[in-house]
Amino acid sequence: MSVLVFVEGLNGEIKKSSLEAASYGSQVAQQLGTTATAVAIGEVHEEALAKLGEQGITKVLYDADDRLKQFVADAYVKVIAKAAQQESAKVLVFSNSNIGAAVGSKLAVRLNGSLATNVTTLPNTDGGSFIVTRGVFSGKAFADVNLTSDVKIIAVKKNSFEVSENGGATATVEKLSADLADADFAAAPKETVMQDTDGGILLPEAEIVVSGGRGLKGPENWHLVEDLAKALGAATACSKPVSDLDWRPHHEHVGQTGITVSPNLYIAIGISGAIQHLAGVNSSKVIVVINKDPEAPFFKAADYGIVGDAFDVVPKLIEAARALDK
Amino acid sequence: MKILVCISNVPDTTSKINFTGDNKEFDKNGVQFVINPWDEYALTRAIELKEAKGGSVTVLNVGEADAEPNIRKALAIGADDAIRVNAHPKDAFFVAQQIAAVAKENNYDMILMGKESIDYNGFQVHNMVGEMLGIPSVTPAFKLDMVDDSTARLEREIEGGKEVVEVKLPFVASAQQPMSEPRIPNMRGIMTARTKPLAVREPVGAEAKAEYVGFSKPEKKGGVKMIDAENAGELIKLLRNEAKVL
């Protein structure tokens, strides 16, 4: 019996959210007195796989089938199910990403397991229970869930766990083949289009997010958001009205019907803080609000606030951020 | 084309979230319930496809009788008929089992729903239903069009990009913005919705696999610290030295 962690790659490296999942998985393994194995699929450098030892992973199973470079749910499920069987895994850990949660849901059916997504704590295993806490009501509450099946599947909320660094430790890397058939790729994507992040940081993975609203008056002023983001090593985001007006692309829209982020620092510029927006950002650890309206509701949810015109305030922030020694 | 749209009945976004009975149950007192906003994208897109290609839209809710006003609202927006599985939605696995049972008795060409509900934020049911029925599940999709009578073309969001997927009918998809522009029911829709069929059926025996044992609320923030706009640069220092996030 072991704990199995699914890790996702991006450009040959392992995604930060998967490093968090690996750290989580090895802590669960320690709790249960067993070891943690990772299963990797697609395009990841072998060095990056071995380095998972730093997160406490002892063994990595790797399926290098070329067809797995793109996400194909059925094929991924088959590979992970094979790894789970081989390792007699009773706990499977994923990142709560679009891929991780999708594959986790399908495996819950296939392996007859209990699933919790959006998980924010290690399990409480007192008295034979297996209780984890998960975010519910769009960040307004947490629920404790007892996973009652023999197999437990957990999708870990992004940026909820520190990446553990056990310097120098390496994991052994073994090949895994799930003997995939063409039928497993029937729903393969025709085309995958990655956003041009211009060397920037992907919003769902970001530790710092700088977000702009209608207070910026137009897309031509977005350099204020971008320059501050660049100086802080942050990703950029926007409010719903801004994406509805096509000032910014939809994938930058955070809020109730956009994406949910939980960075360490969220800086909102010219966003009033409608409840729908808060639903997407309220689990951020520190919130900064910059708005010229002192009555903006967002100030109630903020840790730091500045009442002032973005066009005066943001350049001062950019200057101060650039002056920080890294 | 026969389309099944699954909707859940959720507290309105502006609701205060409270719990009763030793924090074991959600307090419905004074809470206004709405159709889950993500499900509305699926519902409107289904109705648009029906208007363009013909066919029918059935809405399905797994829930208790208090969900019926919102089921009627979905009928008023343009669905043709409705099914309510009379059960408390215990967990995602339980709900997916109910949807799969209904789907097995009817040959739907597509099964649509929102990517998650705004109350339990699971992002699970659509993929479970696809797996239970052995058909593709494309989630979360923000675009859905028919290529021909038997093939749909969807665009789904992945972290850092999008994928274009073509699947044969039948399939499951979950919806997110901007798949469609949700509609408000008009007076004629509200009138006709009253007489549209709403069948109530009992659940199939399925156990829940995730048992909700208690709820809690996040710690209250300590209040906002205001910084003078003239000294805005001070904020950066506080973020590094006090909040320690830079």
Side-chain angles (χ1 to χ4, degrees):
Chain A
M1 176 198 135
S2 75
V3 172
L4 186 70
V5 181
F6 170 61
V7 296
E8 299 171 40
L10 183 71
N11 304 325
E13 299 298 328
I14 292 166
K15 286 186 183 174
K16 176 174 164 272
S17 51
S18 287
L19 295 177
E20 291 164 6
S23 308
Y24 180 96
S26 40
Q27 285 178 61
V28 175
Q30 251 179 21
Q31 249 179 292
L32 302 176
T34 179
T35 54
T37 301
V39 54
I41 293 175
E43 218 171 357
V44 194
H45 300 312
E46 218 159 297
E47 282 160 34
L49 294 175
K51 255 186 92 179
L52 280 166
E54 297 194 352
Q55 281 74 51
I57 300 290
T58 49
K59 181 166 73 179
V60 182
L61 302 171
Y62 179 49
D63 192 330
D65 190 323
D66 257 359
R67 296 172 293 180
L68 293 166
K69 280 181 184 168
Q70 290 181 308
F71 171 59
V72 188
D74 290 329
Y76 276 42
V77 165
K78 210 165 164 181
V79 175
I80 300 166
K82 167 102 189 239
Q85 186 198 11
Q86 191 177 310
E87 297 295 308
S88 316
K90 295 286 183 226
V91 179
L92 277 69
V93 179
F94 296 83
S95 159
N96 197 43
S97 63
N98 285 346
I99 291 176
V103 175
S105 304
K106 290 172 85 67
L107 282 163
V109 174
R110 200 166 296 190
L111 305 177
N112 204 15
S114 289
L115 169 67
T117 51
N118 213 21
V119 168
T120 59
T121 63
L122 286 164
N124 176 346
T125 52
D126 292 349
S129 65
F130 195 98
I131 298 173
V132 290
T133 301
R134 59 183 303 269
V136 291
F137 293 100
S138 303
K140 286 194 262 186
F142 296 103
D144 295 331
V145 187
N146 190 14
L147 303 183
T148 51
S149 304
D150 197 25
V151 173
K152 291 111 172 52
I153 305 177
I154 295 165
V156 180
K157 183 174 170 150
K158 288 178 192 168
N159 212 30
S160 294
F161 286 89
E162 296 252 344
V163 174
S164 52
E165 308 265 359
N166 182 5
T170 54
T172 56
V173 180
E174 289 175 21
K175 289 266 187 284
L176 172 76
S177 173
D179 301 316
L180 297 167
D182 285 346
D184 298 318
F185 294 91
K190 287 261 166 219
E191 195 188 344
T192 304
V193 186
M194 296 309 281
Q195 291 145 22
D196 181 8
T197 53
D198 192 23
I201 292 150
L202 287 179
L203 179 55
E205 300 265 305
E207 290 181 12
I208 304 174
V209 174
V210 180
S211 189
R214 256 185 310 192
L216 283 159
K217 297 200 164 64
E220 66 281 4
N221 298 321
W222 231 258
H223 60 91
L224 287 171
V225 172
E226 285 164 342
D227 288 351
L228 181 58
K230 203 161 195 177
L232 295 172
T236 57
C238 69
S239 65
K240 182 169 189 289
V242 164
S243 78
D244 285 351
L245 287 163
D246 270 338
W247 291 1
R248 301 295 294 174
H250 171 72
H251 60 76
E252 281 202 357
H253 155 207
V254 294
Q256 175 87 79
T257 50
I259 68 167
T260 305
V261 293
S262 49
N264 296 340
L265 174 59
Y266 184 79
I267 301 179
I269 304 167
I271 301 175
S272 62
I275 196 137
Q276 288 81 359
H277 186 77
L278 290 180
V281 305
N282 57 10
S283 55
S284 306
K285 294 188 182 92
V286 173
I287 294 177
V288 172
V289 171
I290 298 157
N291 205 296
K292 67 177 180 191
D293 174 11
E295 301 298 317
F298 215 157
F299 283 117
K300 289 201 177 79
D303 299 281
Y304 296 94
I306 298 179
V307 177
D309 191 330
F311 297 93
D312 296 330
V313 171
V314 179
K316 289 185 182 134
L317 296 180
I318 294 169
E319 195 187 330
R322 284 182 180 152
L324 281 178
D325 36 288
K326 300 289 173 221
Chain B
M1 204 156 40
K2 273 178 77 174
I3 306 176
L4 181 69
V5 179
C6 309
I7 61 170
S8 49
N9 189 46
V10 300
D12 174 44
T13 309
T14 56
S15 307
K16 290 255 183 296
I17 303 299
N18 289 305
F19 302 100
T20 58
D22 202 17
N23 281 330
K24 287 195 175 3
E25 265 177 74
F26 174 63
D27 184 0
K28 290 185 176 180
N29 197 15
V31 171
Q32 166 116 25
F33 281 77
V34 295
I35 300 173
N36 177 37
W38 301 98
D39 297 339
E40 284 202 67
Y41 295 111
L43 175 64
T44 346
R45 188 65 193 134
I47 293 165
E48 288 168 0
L49 286 171
K50 180 189 81 166
E51 286 167 353
K53 314 262 175 199
S56 64
V57 174
T58 299
V59 287
L60 170 62
N61 169 260
V62 179
E64 287 156 316
D66 57 3
E68 291 202 0
N70 281 324
I71 299 175
R72 288 282 173 208
K73 187 183 168 198
L75 293 169
I77 291 170
D80 299 286
D81 61 341
I83 302 167
R84 180 172 68 81
V85 176
N86 185 31
H88 173 66
K90 285 182 271 191
D91 76 342
F93 190 84
F94 175 85
V95 171
Q97 289 273 11
Q98 307 309 323
I99 295 169
V102 169
K104 276 177 190 157
E105 290 171 22
N106 301 274
N107 292 315
Y108 296 110
D109 294 302
M110 56 180 93
I111 301 172
L112 306 180
M113 64 192 82
K115 76 161 197 167
E116 64 186 55
S117 67
I118 64 166
D119 51 0
Y120 284 84
N121 305 107
F123 191 70
Q124 302 177 7
V125 172
H126 30 80
N127 281 302
M128 288 184 174
V129 171
E131 182 73 18
M132 286 168 184
L133 297 173
I135 58 177
S137 45
V138 184
T139 69
F142 58 88
K143 207 165 185 299
L144 162 60
D145 292 294
M146 296 304 294
V147 179
D148 55 43
D149 288 346
S150 64
T151 315
R153 183 184 169 91
L154 299 106
E155 292 186 17
R156 65 181 292 269
E157 188 172 283
I158 53 171
E159 278 82 2
K162 66 169 185 181
E163 285 175 353
V164 182
V165 185
E166 284 188 10
V167 287
K168 292 277 177 208
L169 306 180
F171 65 90
V172 181
S174 75
Q176 72 167 42
Q177 231 210 349
M179 183 181 271
S180 61
E181 194 56 52
R183 297 180 187 181
I184 296 161
N186 58 29
M187 194 42 82
R188 191 171 162 272
I190 294 167
M191 297 301 285
T192 54
R194 289 180 188 166
T195 53
K196 284 180 179 172
L198 193 173
V200 178
R201 54 182 278 166
E202 291 308 309
V204 293
E207 40 163 351
K209 291 174 178 293
E211 182 196 350
Y212 281 81
V213 293
F215 294 93
S216 57
K217 293 207 276 186
E219 280 172 39
K220 281 228 168 14
K221 293 239 179 197
V224 57
K225 186 170 202 168
M226 298 306 291
I227 293 123
D228 186 37
E230 288 306 312
N231 294 320
E234 188 62 25
L235 171 69
I236 299 293
K237 286 185 197 145
L238 287 168
L239 291 174
R240 167 162 285 189
N241 301 324
E242 187 179 82
K244 301 192 191 312
V245 288
L246 288 182

